[in-house]
Amino acid sequence: MKSSRLLRRTESRSACHPGGCRGRGKGAATFRLADTGQQQEPTPRRVADDLVATLSLAEKIELTQQTQPALPRLGLPAADFTMRPATEGIESTFPLPLGLGSSWDPDLVARVGAAMADELRAAGGGGVREIPLVNPSYDPRHARNERGFGEDPLLCSKLGVVYALGLRGPEKAHPKTVPVVRHVDQLDRCAISPGFNLRVFNEYEMPVFRAVVETGGAAGIVLSQLMMEDYPALTAQLLQLVLRGWGDGETTIWSEKLPDRPLSSGGQALALRLGADGFMGGGRTVEAIFDACQRGEVTEAMITAAARRMLMMRLQLLAISAGPAHVDRKGHQDLVRRAARESIVLLRNDGLLPLLVGPGMRLAVIGPHGEGLADELSRRVTAQYVSGSDRVTVSGVDGEFELTEWRHGRFTLTSQTRTIEAFTDSDGTVTADGEPLEWQRVSHGIADAVALAREADVVVLAIGSNPALDDGNRDTLELPPQQHQLVRAVRAANPNVVLVVRSAYPYALRWEDTYLPAILWSAHPADEATADILFGDHAPSGRLPQTWHRTDDDLPPTLDYDLIQGSGTYMYQETEPLYPFGHGLTYTSFTYEDMDLSSRVINSHESVTVTVRVRNNGFRDCHEVVQLYTRQLNSQVRQPRKVLRDFRKVLIPARGSRAVTFRLRAADLCFWDVTRDKWVVETALHEVFVGSSSAKAAASAVLDVHGKTLPPRILAGTARTAHSYDESMGLALVDISSEAGPVVTAAKDGAWLGLLGYDPSGCRSWSLTASNAGDDPVPVELRCGAPDGRLLGTVLVPPTTDRRRYAVATGSLMPLDEISDLFVVFPEQGPWITRIGFA
């Protein structure tokens, strides 16, 4: 293979080069494979070590660019690191991550990733691919909800890892594609969005990215130019203390240019000093880096380290072309059908499903997503279709249009020749392309739907979202009014309604859950798979990858990322969900029997085996997703109400049973201690339970874990870093300065941070190390019990003229001699706080 010849050739050349061993770095030999003789092909790491020592400074700088020239004397062709979506060039229509997440099937997701890689190589477009992976979802109203696998870090990690490894292939030295994780740059929300919380950051934000990098699925990580240039100290700590510690330390880190921000010469040098290896997103930076090196702003050693990692990725990119690519098109079609079926979740069923098909059976298929489904159902029964949407004429435009409301105040008007997107402004005016739009109804879609529903035996009502209009955060979980009115009218005409929901996010279906006998959901447009489920050819096996809430009131009013304080996701939610995380029905019922723990007491370095027998009570083979959760029963800090620890998707034969076994480590039960900035396994009791969803504990037991006893939280004579709080509201992490430490500020008036369970005995004064760029002193309060509780003291932060010039401001403190929850409250925005002291 070409890449193999290159590896052997360059090894021979560099071996006799006087500087062939320089540039390897201290300890590099520990990463090498053992010397097993001349027959072993050298690794990309060894080749990169040897090659980089032969390069000039100018050549090393070229290696930091997105497009790199050829190096004929080394046998290296030109390279292009332009990053493309993993789905670009794929012929097969696999579900997006949210659909794969609802499968709860790591084996399936791994096969999808591998199939996508084969299709990319066959199309000649492997290259650098963006892993479609984002943080677990905090809030179902958030934009791009479909790009994540769900709301749980373990589920997202397991599926993200196998997806990335499938894309990369089994051989790291000869990958099928070079996957990179792009959306680590969403971590800038911890700096620019309210709600930063150290526990959330470590326990919820980072596990998915860490898992994908540590297992070798990701060859690179992309951070935004905004992170590099606006939050350099935060980025430095993120790179040096977090990202570089994952995997083997060889992961390439990119700085990606923002479309609306120009490149600056200082910004390129800064990115290299922080630890970036390359630059992505357009614009050449060779001259700027060379000049910065001449000025001493960046050293050649920094450039060499970056060039070496980039060279390793370049060798991987070159190795992609080695060997023919074979695509099993029929096998991929079968895989698409399987993935589509497993993405479907049966939310509710009062016995209407599966449909009992008999002679003369008449189906009415209604709704904006019903046309293709009607075609599929017509293969088995008589099925008639109407959209349920009004037909209208538009002022100044020829022809009739079908008017559909996909989101609140967002419409499409579709004719045979064109589609118009329309929006309702805040004043109620409907516009298209910025111009007012008026229409007049020609026919009433709901009336047509009601007429058809009355004549049918069963109605299949297909509603949901339109991906073309899903480009921003939603204001509500409710169905758009037009679709909700359609559902109610059809149900009044015929009680036998199967609601088929296709959407990239959950809805609040309270009315539908009360009055409709059956509800299916899919994040994927799967007409054939839906027909299979409706007719019972396959039993549904999908499970919800995120919670479906009853009302908007179950969520915080705004997108605040402190899910602990905001009771976000199933882990902290206190209200009863409509459909819980992990929920999904099938065409049988299961009983959980004989749950057993191999031990009821373990130490922090030990593990326990959890075994449960699951029995199928029905008369057909069906899949069950057996889910293992834990809940810490006693702790010094607030703990999640439940946390997913493992899961198994198993096929259980009719009237039969299977034993399902999990291994639960005490280390899995750790949490991030904000007072000491480290993971800790606390001495505590844990409830261990298994079931078919996060809300259904079918069997449980108590596990006694002997770990650390956390020291009392004593305040007198101590100083807390400002970001080491337990909970917050409206607070943002501004930056982490090497001199000042972590810096937080109020993103809105009335923001607060909570120090919970502290002993303030003996404290008579308190202080803030803070800056204030305003002209007047700004008050900061300390309150007891609640953010609006008893006032203990106030500190006035004086003007410091400079954002990054910090001074200590002190205030008196009312005596308090009992363990209490304390809240630092910011009545108004302004101060940047780095430390809180108690004397």
Side-chain angles (χ1 to χ4, degrees), residues 659-676:
V660 180
T661 300
F662 302 98
R663 176 174 175 254
L664 178 64
R665 303 179 307 161
D668 296 334
L669 307 176
C670 65
F671 64 90
W672 186 262
D673 182 5
V674 297
T675 66
R676 292 183 291 173

Side-chain angles (χ1 to χ4, degrees), residues 307-382:
R308 177 181 169 278
R309 280 187 285 263
M310 289 294 296
L311 187 56
M312 287 183 61
M313 181 175 274
R314 185 162 171 173
L315 293 172
Q316 294 177 46
L317 194 65
L318 178 62
I320 287 176
S321 60
H326 171 71
V327 176
D328 179 5
R329 295 293 178 187
K330 183 181 182 304
H332 286 197
Q333 291 173 4
D334 293 340
L335 185 60
V336 168
R337 285 193 291 269
R338 176 187 164 189
R341 283 196 304 268
E342 291 199 38
S343 75
I344 296 173
V345 183
L346 179 59
L347 299 175
R348 175 177 173 79
N349 187 21
D350 280 354
L352 182 59
L353 294 180
L355 297 176
L356 299 177
V357 178
M361 182 181 186
R362 297 166 299 171
L363 287 183
V365 184
I366 298 170
H369 282 308
E371 186 171 8
L373 183 56
D375 292 339
E376 285 295 333
L377 297 174
S378 294
R379 301 176 188 275
R380 300 273 289 271
V381 298
T382 300

Side-chain angles (χ1 to χ4, degrees), residues 688-746:
V688 180
F689 62 94
V690 293
S692 56
S693 79
S694 60
K696 192 172 183 179
S700 66
V702 174
L703 177 66
D704 188 358
V705 177
H706 292 181
K708 298 287 185 182
T709 299
L710 300 186
R713 293 183 162 194
I714 297 174
L715 284 180
T718 67
R720 306 295 313 150
T721 52
H723 74 316
S724 297
Y725 45 79
D726 295 289
E727 297 178 8
S728 70
M729 190 281 293
L731 214 64
L733 179 70
V734 182
D735 199 2
I736 298 180
S737 166
S738 57
E739 296 83 14
V743 183
V744 300
T745 191

Side-chain angles (χ1 to χ4, degrees), residues 772-804:
N772 175 11
D775 297 327
D776 301 308
V778 179
V780 179
E781 302 171 343
L782 185 69
R783 293 182 176 270
C784 176
D788 58 352
R790 179 158 61 99
L791 180 64
L792 300 180
T794 300
V795 166
L796 287 176
V797 180
T800 58
T801 68
D802 187 339
R803 273 289 183 213
R804 287 181 168 80

Side-chain angles (χ1 to χ4, degrees), residues 60-68 79 81 254 277-280 283-286 289 310:
K60 293 174 187 174
I61 293 175
E62 287 285 359
L63 288 175
T64 66
Q65 304 301 291
Q66 180 171 305
T67 57
Q68 303 173 5
F81 287 93
W254 299 82
D277 303 312
F279 301 92
M280 185 175 287
R284 287 181 59 76
T285 62
V286 172
I289 294 173
M310 289 294 296

